[in-house]
């Protein structure tokens, strides 16, 4: 009789485990990858469903927890590196804008995007078009304004 109760209890637990595993499979299939939350859910489900009379070896549990810890640390490192990369890019852009702003009031010569037509004008201002600094110039003689990419400048005087 005790064996029947144990089997019934195990079947109920296994039924819950089966539905939990199905939920995890559905969420991972949609995303295509296993994340740390899914890994932890599987580990907890595995520990909760082990046979109390024949428990899992402790070394296996320790190895799985170590894998989980490594996964979490790698995820944190990737996040931190991504933030550092964005910070460095912002600093580079700020330094470049600072350097280009020293051109205000100077006469520059540039070519058009095709590299054929050359023009000369006085730098009026500096702006960021996307992440690329550009200058706004007034052409000498007719006062027309042009937005010039830094890469198109051929001479500064």
């Amino acid at each position: 009789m005790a064996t029947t109760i144990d089997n019934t209890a195990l079947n109920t637990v296994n039924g819950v485990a089966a539905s939990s595993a199905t939920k995890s499979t559905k969420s991972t299939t949609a995303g295509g990858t296993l994340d740390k939350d899914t890994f932890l859910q599987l580990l907890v489900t595995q520990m909760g469903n082990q046979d109390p009379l024949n428990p899992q070896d402790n070394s296996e549990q320790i190895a799985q927890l170590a894998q989980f810890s490594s996964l979490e640390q790698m995820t944190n490192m990737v996040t931190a590196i991504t933030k550092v990369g964005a910070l460095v890019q912002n600093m580079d852009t700020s330094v470049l804008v600072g350097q280009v702003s020293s051109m205000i009031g100077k006469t520059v010569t540039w070519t058009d995007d095709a590299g054929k037509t050359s023009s000369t004008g006085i730098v009026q201002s500096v702006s960021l078009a996307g992440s690329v600094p550009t200058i706004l110039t007034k052409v000498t003689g007719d006062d027309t304004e042009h937005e010039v990419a830094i890469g198109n400048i051929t001479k500064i005087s």
Side-chain angles (χ1 to χ4, degrees):
M1 190 169 200
T3 304
T4 307
I5 293 172
D6 288 341
N7 286 339
T8 305
L10 287 175
N11 287 338
T12 303
V13 171
N14 287 337
V16 171
S19 67
S20 296
T22 304
K23 288 180 186 175
S24 296
T25 303
K26 287 180 184 175
S27 66
T28 56
T29 303
T33 59
L34 293 174
D35 60 356
K36 64 182 182 179
D37 294 331
T38 305
F39 181 81
L40 188 58
Q41 283 179 341
L42 289 171
L43 181 63
V44 168
T45 302
Q46 180 182 8
M47 291 173 70
N49 290 325
Q50 64 182 332
D51 183 4
L53 300 176
N54 186 17
Q56 185 180 16
D57 185 21
N58 286 338
S59 62
E60 288 181 34
Q61 290 178 350
I62 291 171
Q64 289 176 348
L65 287 172
Q67 288 174 345
F68 174 72
S69 179
S70 294
L71 173 67
E72 186 173 23
Q73 290 302 317
M74 285 189 295
T75 303
N76 292 342
M77 284 180 61
V78 167
T79 303
I81 289 171
T82 302
K83 288 179 182 178
V84 167
L87 180 63
V88 168
Q89 184 177 8
N90 288 340
M91 288 173 57
D92 287 346
T93 302
S94 297
V95 168
L96 187 57
V97 167
Q99 290 173 343
V100 172
S101 66
S102 67
M103 294 171 48
I104 295 175
K106 295 193 178 191
T107 302
V108 294
T109 302
W110 70 92
T111 58
D112 61 0
D113 289 333
K116 296 181 180 181
T117 306
S118 180
S119 301
T120 301
I122 298 174
V123 178
Q124 301 297 308
S125 64
V126 177
S127 67
L128 282 173
S131 62
V132 179
T134 59
I135 59 173
L136 183 65
T137 63
K138 281 193 177 182
V139 174
T140 308
D142 66 3
D143 287 338
T144 58
E145 292 184 341
H146 291 274
E147 190 172 306
V148 180
I150 298 302
N152 292 350
I153 297 173
T154 57
K155 181 179 176 184
I156 302 170
S157 48

